[in-house]
Amino acid sequence: MRPSSLNPLFKPVGSLPGLGPRLAPLVERLSGPHVVDLLWHRPSGVIDRRFTPMVADAPGGQVATLTVMIEAHTPPDSPRRPTRVRCSDETGFITLVFFHGREDWLRRTLPVGEVRVVSGLVDRFNGEAQIVHPDHIVTLDQRDTIAVVEPVYPLTAGISAKQIGKWVHAALAQAPDLPEWQDPAWKSRQNWPGWRDALTALHNPQADSTAARRRLAYDELLANQLALAMMRRHMRQAKGRVFHGDGRLRAKVLNALPFSLTGAQTRSLAEIDADMASPLRMLRLLQGDVGSGKTVVALLAMLTAVESGAQAALMAPTEILARQHHSTIEPLAASAGVRVALLTGRDKGKARDAVLSRVVNGEVDILLGTHALFQADVVFRDLGLAVIDEQHRFGVHQRLELTNKGRAVDVLAMTATPIPRTLLLTAYGDMDSSRLDEKPPGRKPVDTRVLPLTRLDEVVGAVRRAVQGGARAFWVCPLVEESETSDLAAAEQRHQDLSELFGNRAGLIHGRMKGPARDAVMAAFGAGELDLLVATTVIEVGVDVPQATVMVIEHAERFGLAQLHQLRGRIGRGERASTCLLLYGSPLSETAKARLEVMRASEDGFLIAEEDLRLRGGGEMLGTRQSGLPGFKLADPAEDGDLLAVAKDDAKLILERDPELAGERGGNLRTLLYLFERDQAVLTLRSG
Ligand code: ADP
Ligand code: MG
């Protein structure tokens, strides 16, 4: 149970004074649902208001805090024009400018003939100084409250800087004094403040707050590494089963395959075999670019379980993928007499009951499916291996739920998101990993080009010519910020535009479509009844249409590199040469330009992931959310890489000395785990 000292921090943000039901959802989206999330809402910079020049000496383009006399208000002569308030000191005049200012409020706040201290960005226009919407206006005796260094917070529409600052401070006031969980010697060597002082310094950046930030970053990294080490230990302690396949089923399937395994596939399979044959439980991540051939590896691993008399399950994140796996795996398995069934959310009633009874009676050797596999009434006779495809789409608890359906179930997780080595440790420190870093032979490189969106007409023309020449094309529509609805609107609009040229040979697919409708469109595209498929990012995962050789991605700069790479992986799967056109909106920042250049120059997913991390910094890696990599709130894997290594060793040492976190520091470390919401890890402790 979470220690009660943390309770105030896990109240909803809406419980903070001054944060009502209207704004609470905005804050939730900005920082997170709990008070503690506001504590982690790191300032992105500071504004120094200590500069207090005379009016004549205040340069344009700089923030200044000025003491001025109010001389006159000039109300606007039309509603679109601003109210202007003329002020002065002995050295000159400055005008304060307010758009849509409320007249009575302005007169009260800036009474003519009185002195006020104002702070804001000074503008010089035709030699005249002005401040548009000063950030602060106070009386002389309050002057000290504003002539300070002020944190600047990442904002969202609808919330002002002042408001967010106020709420962060309200959250700070709720922060209890917590017992120290850091090793005292290490802490004092680093000159780090205590937890609460560090938080206070983070949000009141008067002085250099580096030490404070680093301490908090280390807290987060330690919580992360400790939790992973605990999960791993838990998995290891759980006795595994020894699966020694005799190879008879495998031999038949290998025989039926129209190709031989790549070196990387053979190597990964050997690693998996060794895990499955050992008496410890397997928890292995198979990383491999799109098209690197993970499915076959998974199938061969599942056959080992089946050869030993157990069952295997493969879970995919979407219906499309589950069906695709079924159509690949079923015929291969059949060639060895292995019985395969499919279970998805779409199976209902009698048909579903029939599958379930075959599974529980052991008449199904391999069960493929979606989240539907978690359901309580799915019972195996003897589940021995669980394969989880696109593992980042599932939560840790879902992984556990599936493995709880058997006795000491081995787990093989797969991902097509190449993960940089530094992040692998933070994201999957509890897993062993195998890499498929070699593509099956015969794949043609994809010709990738980067073009401005202004050349859309040319692009449409080129796609049309390609289609006339027999190609099939994906057209991916832009990701519109935060809103699925506008994503959809953009895709629908583009589909409509393109339908004028392509008629009923242009299809549309998006996440809001019902499963059967979506599958029907995919099938039509696969069968060549459609030439062009306009899509939102639902096509990202899986989807195998070898005839598709063209991909257009609009506003490519809005996608994460990992995502672009995944999307591009949909083409270049067949015999014919493929082309990917990345269209960008202008203006393009230097970083965005560099990122698209990486895409143009390389098809190596591991390299692209490393470059993405380098160019964006870890915290910003787009796709941290989609990819399920931990989005760190305080630590930055790029900046704090040194601390990560220390945290890893620290965690190891902690568990060697006090495996149940039962000692005094152990207890404090439990608090740390709860603070960073690693409750799952604490549950692995005997007295959790
Ligand atoms: P992933 O799931 O890793 O994206 P798949 O398992 O779907 O990739 O494999 C992509 C394609 O490559 C499939 O059509 C598969 O049959 C083929 N393939 C897999 N392994 C090999 C191999 N060793 N040689 C040739 N083709 C292969
Ligand atoms: Mg796959």
Side-chain angles (χ1 to χ4, degrees):
M1 271 248 301
R2 182 195 295 143
S4 58
S5 56
L6 294 182
N7 286 347
L9 295 180
F10 286 90
K11 288 196 187 148
V13 285
S15 69
L16 289 171
L19 184 45
R22 192 175 59 81
L23 294 177
L26 297 181
V27 176
E28 261 177 48
R29 216 174 313 140
L30 182 66
S31 58
H34 299 127
V35 170
V36 72
D37 297 312
L38 272 169
L39 295 182
W40 307 149
H41 195 62
R42 235 175 101 174
S44 53
V46 292
I47 295 180
D48 192 340
R49 298 192 186 280
R50 290 172 303 183
F51 181 47
T52 53
M54 300 303 286
V55 167
D57 303 327
Q62 202 169 324
V63 171
T65 299
L66 305 169
T67 304
V68 292
M69 162 83 81
I70 318 301
E71 298 203 331
H73 285 236
T74 314
D77 44 20
S78 96
R80 266 178 302 149
R81 319 228 2 122
T83 302
R84 308 174 72 82
V85 180
R86 182 180 156 105
C87 309
S88 67
D89 67 8
E90 303 93 89
T91 65
F93 294 103
I94 185 163
T95 307
L96 308 182
V97 181
F98 298 88
F99 289 88
H100 314 293
R102 280 212 344 265
E103 210 52 38
D104 51 337
W105 178 82
L106 283 174
R107 294 218 176 254
R108 244 186 302 122
T109 314
L110 294 162
V112 172
E114 292 194 19
V115 172
R116 288 291 181 270
V117 182
V118 300
S119 183
L121 182 66
V122 177
D123 238 353
R124 289 215 169 253
F125 190 66
N126 287 340
E128 293 209 11
Q130 61 173 35
I131 297 179
V132 180
H133 291 249
D135 304 318
H136 298 278
I137 305 170
V138 297
T139 53
L140 256 181
D141 53 332
Q142 292 172 312
R143 177 196 173 99
D144 292 345
T145 64
I146 63 168
V148 295
V149 183
E150 193 174 272
V152 186
Y153 290 100
L155 290 181
T156 187
I159 299 181
S160 74
K162 249 191 228 172
Q163 285 172 310
I164 199 75
K166 196 175 76 188
W167 296 323
V168 167
H169 279 87
L172 263 182
Q174 310 267 327
D177 271 318
L178 295 174
E180 185 57 69
W181 44 74
Q182 295 298 355
D183 175 59
W186 158 248
K187 181 186 151 206
S188 80
R189 215 166 349 134
Q190 299 294 316
N191 260 323
W192 282 346
W195 178 71
R196 209 174 177 287
D197 291 342
L199 271 179
T200 309
L202 182 75
H203 294 292
N204 295 282
Q206 293 300 316
D208 179 16
S209 59
T210 306
R213 196 198 64 75
R214 292 268 288 176
R215 187 229 140 97
L216 296 169
Y218 189 74
D219 285 346
E220 186 173 36
L221 291 169
L222 183 60
N224 167 267
Q225 287 302 302
L226 191 58
L228 287 170
M230 288 164 71
M231 300 293 282
R232 183 188 179 92
R233 225 172 41 102
H234 183 64
M235 277 298 292
R236 298 279 131 153
Q237 277 173 351
K239 271 264 232 5
R241 298 165 60 176
V242 175
F243 290 119
H244 274 304
D246 57 16
R248 82 201 129 84
L249 300 176
R250 227 186 230 189
K252 287 190 184 140
V253 168
L254 282 172
N255 226 356
L257 281 177
F259 48 75
S260 49
L261 299 184
T262 63
Q265 282 170 321
T266 306
R267 183 168 22 82
S268 297
L269 202 57
E271 289 164 356
I272 293 165
D273 286 347
D275 283 359
M276 289 183 71
S278 100
L280 297 174
R281 276 175 81 171
M282 171 165 80
L283 184 52
R284 181 168 287 276
L285 180 70
L286 178 62
Q287 270 190 286
D289 240 333
V290 175
S292 58
K294 294 185 290 296
T295 316
V296 169
V297 175
L299 172 59
L300 295 171
M302 292 194 287
L303 290 179
T304 299
V306 176
E307 283 170 6
S308 322
Q311 290 165 298
L314 186 157
M315 185 171 60
T318 65
E319 180 97 25
I320 296 184
L321 268 178
R323 288 187 186 276
Q324 199 166 289
H325 281 313
H326 186 252
S327 59
T328 319
I329 287 175
E330 209 276 331
L332 288 170
S335 69
V338 171
R339 299 155 300 178
V340 176
L342 176 70
L343 185 71
T344 73
R346 236 190 277 162
D347 298 306
K348 301 253 155 63
K350 285 225 177 69
R352 180 167 184 278
D353 292 345
V355 173
L356 293 188
S357 89
R358 285 170 59 218
V359 173
V360 72
N361 292 329
E363 292 159 31
V364 168
D365 303 308
I366 295 179
L367 182 62
L368 308 173
T370 54
H371 292 76
L373 298 191
F374 295 136
Q375 287 159 353
D377 58 350
V378 179
V379 180
F380 290 83
R381 188 182 59 81
D382 180 19
L383 179 64
L385 170 67
V387 181
I388 302 176
D389 194 16
E390 302 301 338
Q391 104 107 23
H392 56 274
R393 301 269 171 137
F394 298 96
V396 171
H397 63 282
Q398 291 177 313
R399 190 170 88 193
L400 292 176
E401 251 170 84
L402 187 59
T403 55
N404 285 341
K405 288 189 179 288
R407 176 168 60 83
V409 177
D410 278 341
V411 176
L412 178 65
M414 308 200 288
T415 179
T417 307
I419 302 160
R421 288 192 190 279
T422 37
L423 289 190
L424 194 62
L425 185 60
T426 59
Y428 297 109
D430 60 337
M431 291 195 186
D432 298 304
S433 94
S434 298
R435 278 186 166 197
L436 291 181
D437 47 12
E438 175 188 353
K439 291 227 166 112
R443 303 198 103 217
K444 300 244 174 10
V446 175
D447 178 13
T448 300
R449 302 181 192 187
V450 179
L451 304 162
L453 261 168
T454 47
R455 291 174 62 184
L456 191 69
D457 286 347
E458 281 170 65
V459 170
V460 172
V463 171
R464 200 173 173 196
R465 281 192 302 281
V467 162
Q468 279 161 355
R472 260 173 258 169
F474 286 111
W475 189 294
V476 181
C477 280
L479 206 61
V480 179
E481 240 167 82
E482 307 245 324
S483 154
E484 221 178 292
T485 336
S486 30
D487 268 8
L488 183 53
E492 277 172 340
Q493 183 59 51
R494 184 60 74 217
H495 175 243
Q496 213 175 2
D497 298 345
L498 291 169
S499 292
E500 285 177 16
L501 282 170
F502 293 86
N504 60 8
R505 311 273 311 163
L508 173 66
I509 190 167
H510 57 75
R512 290 283 185 84
M513 281 162 80
K514 291 250 186 307
R518 210 152 51 170
D519 291 357
V521 173
M522 245 1 269
F525 186 61
E529 290 155 27
L530 296 172
D531 295 325
L532 179 74
L533 190 58
V534 179
T536 57
T537 45
V538 289
I539 58 157
E540 184 188 337
V541 177
V543 183
D544 200 3
V545 180
Q547 299 85 350
T549 52
V550 177
M551 173 162 293
V552 179
I553 303 178
E554 283 189 54
H555 279 294
E557 79 280 3
R558 294 186 191 164
F559 292 84
L561 286 192
Q563 220 178 354
L564 287 176
H565 178 67
Q566 288 249 3
L567 285 167
R568 185 172 57 183
R570 302 296 117 224
I571 57 171
R573 304 194 132 207
E575 296 301 306
R576 295 165 60 163
S578 294
T579 308
C580 177
L581 302 175
L582 302 177
L583 307 185
Y584 61 85
S586 306
L588 202 56
S589 72
E590 283 304 312
T591 310
K593 213 177 276 175
R595 295 174 64 244
L596 292 181
E597 173 55 23
V598 169
M599 285 306 295
R600 197 196 57 72
S602 174
E603 274 190 80
D604 176 345
F606 291 105
L607 184 139
I608 289 172
E610 299 286 352
E611 284 295 296
D612 197 24
L613 180 64
R614 195 177 61 77
L615 286 169
R616 301 177 65 114
E620 241 193 288
M621 267 238 317
L622 194 139
T624 46
R625 199 172 280 171
Q626 290 118 330
S627 69
L629 292 179
F632 283 109
K633 290 166 172 155
L634 300 158
D636 177 342
E639 207 174 317
D640 303 315
D642 57 328
L643 291 181
L644 178 59
V646 183
K648 187 185 174 220
D649 292 344
D650 202 357
K652 190 161 159 248
L653 204 64
I654 288 166
L655 291 178
E656 273 166 18
R657 287 191 189 149
D658 183 10
E660 294 298 321
L661 298 184
E664 192 193 332
R665 185 176 177 213
N668 301 345
L669 284 161
R670 286 181 187 221
T671 303
L672 172 71
L673 290 168
Y674 279 112
L675 184 64
F676 283 99
E677 297 175 68
R678 310 286 167 157
D679 305 26
Q680 195 81 45
V682 187
L683 290 179
T684 67
L685 297 174
R686 231 167 299 155
S687 50

